[in-house]
Amino acid sequence: MDTPILHIDMDAFFANVEKRDNPLLKDVPVVVGSHPHKSPRGVVSTCCYIARKFGVRSAMPTTEALRLCPTAVFIEPNSKRYSEVSSEIMKIFLNYTPLVEPISIDEAFLDVGGCEKLFGTPLEIARLIQSEVFNKLGLTCSIGVAPNKFLAKLASDLKKPNGITVINSQDVDKVLDPLPVSKIWGVGIKQQSKLNSLGIKTIADIKKLEILQLESLFGSLGTSLYNLSRGIDERKIETTTEIKSISNETTFSHDISDDNIIKANLIKLADKVSRRLRMKNLVGRTIMLKIRYDDFRTTTSQVTLPEPTSLPSMIISNVWDMYTKREHKNKKVRLIGVGVSKFEDKSINTQLSLFADTDKEQREKRESNLHSSIDKILSKFGDKAIIRGSEKQVNRRDKNGSLV
Ligand code: TTP
Ligand code: MG
């Protein structure tokens, strides 16, 4: 198998950590989320496979979960604990290959090419990892083994829980053709209904269209649709070791003087940077703001925090602070950029435990938990599945024909 990639995803992750830690929960339906009698507007973070038989799902209102499964035990999420376990899982993966790319709290890609001599075929490596995770941590995971990331991720979902699925190059068409278009990375609800309205329901249907047709209908997503529907995905495993900083920037189509627009865009950039940090399980101590003015003069400022962070609220408050203290207040802004560097500690858990103030710790925990949910939704339904109110405002301004 050329570049054998594993995608490993923990089964019912938060719920199974809770079940493992409390044997009384072993045979009962467990829902991770505040009890609806306590927080009536809460949502389900995840639930165990027993609760899933009743129809309970992630992101469902907890009131609905209780209606579907009145015997469910609701458990408050403990993000610190889940981050700890996540670090332990990633450590196990690193025993097999240095090429590990964590993509969320409970999943990672591994490139096991070149590890055959030590550990056996990719399938054997998958079996070894599955047993080691279970024996050491008491948790099950599902693994996809395939020639690339797209196929491996798709495969890991096919035999959940505790399954291993191999997709070999020669089986790609057989596996992909009957699947709904929503299985393709980047196809969210909006793209799905657009494809469906054109009569394109399965991956085989996508293959009937020429690349130019797909690109004219879907832009750059069209290119991905063309390639992924044929099982082609050239992306390499990205490890975090050599990354020194993570940043994003925006160049405005008109130079901007309205601080509200700048703020909304800084929030958007901070969200993006924060998400990329979380995907790589990184936290950084230095926050950077870059401003290019209408005369192309470019300034950068930075601040170093007492504790490393990946939280958007932390990044936003610091860049906004730097922005309001900028030198050239009378100039219009052409470009803004936000970055985080000085990575110190990969564990969100360490970050949280360093705060002595309990209220603050609770807030940080809640924010971290919220963002892990958001990441999951975005990775399932695409980048536009959730946007902040501030971003909506910016978009509205766009439509009204002005500034950004
Ligand atoms: P998932 O891997 O999507 O779900 P899961 O591990 O609970 O179940 P499975 O993989 O077996 O289908 O997400 C991993 C964790 O992320 C999950 O345990 C809880 C959290 N999460 C949320 O908090 N909210 C969400 O909407 C989703 C989808 C996940
Ligand atoms: Mg999972």
Side-chain angles (χ1 to χ4, degrees):
M1 188 180 282
D2 40 344
T3 58
I5 303 294
L6 307 190
H7 176 259
I8 310 182
D9 186 290
M10 302 305 295
D11 301 321
F13 182 46
F14 294 2
N16 281 350
V17 170
E18 298 297 343
K19 285 177 103 109
R20 176 197 72 175
D21 293 348
N22 180 355
L24 293 176
L25 298 174
K26 186 169 173 281
D27 299 315
V28 296
V30 166
V31 173
V32 178
S34 298
H35 195 286
H37 293 166
K38 195 174 153 209
S39 315
R41 287 157 55 82
V43 291
V44 173
S45 192
T46 190
C47 63
C48 70
Y49 278 76
I50 304 177
R52 290 185 198 195
K53 287 196 191 132
F54 292 81
V56 181
R57 293 287 179 271
S58 287
M60 169 184 279
T62 46
T63 45
E64 171 77 351
L66 182 62
R67 193 185 60 74
L68 290 168
C69 184
T71 54
V73 174
F74 287 79
I75 297 181
E76 288 286 332
N78 180 349
S79 54
K80 184 174 166 189
R81 182 88 196 99
Y82 310 140
S83 293
E84 269 167 14
V85 181
S86 177
S87 302
E88 291 171 46
I89 295 165
M90 301 298 164
K91 265 190 212 143
I92 293 183
F93 299 165
L94 284 165
N95 290 336
Y96 292 85
T97 170
L99 300 178
V100 174
E101 179 183 344
I103 54 168
S104 80
I105 193 162
D106 84 325
E107 57 183 321
F109 287 113
L110 281 67
D111 183 339
V112 295
C115 309
E116 278 96 339
K117 281 207 177 98
L118 270 176
F119 300 110
T121 63
L123 174 60
E124 284 162 347
I125 298 173
R127 289 197 185 112
L128 286 173
I129 294 178
Q130 203 180 44
S131 323
E132 187 172 342
V133 170
F134 186 74
N135 294 335
K136 285 202 172 141
L137 304 177
L139 296 169
T140 63
C141 60
S142 297
I143 308 185
V145 185
N148 60 46
K149 284 182 168 183
F150 165 59
L151 293 170
K153 184 160 164 72
L154 192 110
S156 71
D157 208 33
L158 295 178
K159 284 186 211 142
K160 261 187 169 292
N162 205 22
I164 297 181
T165 306
V166 180
I167 302 182
N168 286 309
S169 309
Q170 66 271 21
D171 300 327
V172 168
D173 290 340
K174 201 171 70 197
V175 176
L176 290 186
D177 282 355
L179 295 176
V181 289
S182 57
K183 289 281 177 191
I184 292 203
W185 227 339
V187 174
I189 295 166
K190 218 169 113 190
Q191 290 86 357
Q192 189 186 344
S193 51
K194 184 167 172 187
L195 282 160
N196 289 171
S197 70
L198 296 165
I200 303 165
K201 301 229 155 68
T202 63
I203 294 183
D205 294 335
I206 297 177
K207 290 203 291 193
K208 292 179 196 148
L209 295 176
E210 298 295 331
I211 188 161
L212 289 176
Q213 283 176 291
L214 286 166
E215 283 171 349
S216 74
L217 284 165
F218 295 96
S220 60
L221 176 67
T223 326
S224 298
L225 289 173
Y226 183 87
N227 288 325
L228 297 179
S229 62
R230 287 164 177 76
I232 301 166
D233 178 12
E234 307 281 352
R235 286 167 306 165
K236 298 274 169 264
I237 299 289
E238 282 180 43
T239 55
T240 52
T241 40
E242 65 289 341
I243 298 174
K244 294 259 188 303
S245 74
I246 286 187
S247 60
N248 280 87
E249 55 186 47
T250 297
T251 304
F252 298 110
S253 53
H254 302 77
D255 298 332
I256 305 288
S257 54
D258 181 341
D259 279 356
N260 289 324
I261 295 179
I262 299 285
K263 189 169 191 180
N265 278 280
L266 286 173
I267 291 173
K268 210 163 137 184
L269 290 169
D271 273 337
K272 271 193 193 160
V273 169
S274 162
R275 182 157 176 239
R276 288 176 61 202
L277 289 167
R278 290 194 303 275
M279 278 164 69
K280 309 228 170 283
N281 214 12
L282 285 170
V283 284
R285 201 184 258 269
T286 300
I287 315 268
M288 295 169 293
L289 170 70
K290 175 174 166 186
I291 309 174
R292 180 165 299 143
Y293 295 97
D294 51 0
D295 59 0
F296 280 84
R297 183 195 296 257
T298 305
T299 61
T300 53
S301 30
Q302 61 182 53
V303 61
T304 298
L305 308 175
E307 306 295 343
T309 191
S310 65
L311 295 176
S313 61
M314 213 48 130
I315 303 173
I316 291 161
S317 65
N318 282 286
V319 289
W320 182 244
D321 195 43
M322 286 187 268
Y323 180 77
T324 53
K325 292 182 185 146
R326 73 194 180 283
E327 238 183 272
H328 310 285
K329 291 211 169 93
N330 52 341
K331 286 188 197 298
K332 288 187 174 181
V333 174
R334 180 183 166 78
L335 171 152
I336 47 168
V338 171
V340 172
S341 64
K342 293 249 167 65
F343 302 129
E344 288 201 350
D345 191 333
K346 291 184 186 171
S347 152
I348 298 164
N349 158 49
T350 313
Q351 170 195 15
L352 294 177
S353 67
L354 288 169
F355 292 107
D357 169 350
T358 325
D359 271 0
K360 191 174 179 191
E361 186 178 339
Q362 288 300 328
R363 267 203 322 274
E364 301 281 343
K365 256 194 204 171
R366 278 200 301 274
E367 190 178 348
S368 163
N369 204 38
L370 168 72
H371 287 294
S372 92
S373 309
I374 292 176
D375 290 345
K376 279 287 168 185
I377 295 169
L378 295 177
S379 92
K380 279 206 170 133
F381 301 114
D383 280 354
K384 298 270 179 256
I386 299 177
I387 57 171
R388 280 184 188 258
S390 54
E391 195 174 329
K392 264 191 165 162
Q393 269 172 15
V394 172
N395 291 338
R396 218 174 15 244
R397 281 170 187 269
D398 263 356
K399 281 196 195 111
N400 288 347
S402 56
L403 297 161
V404 182

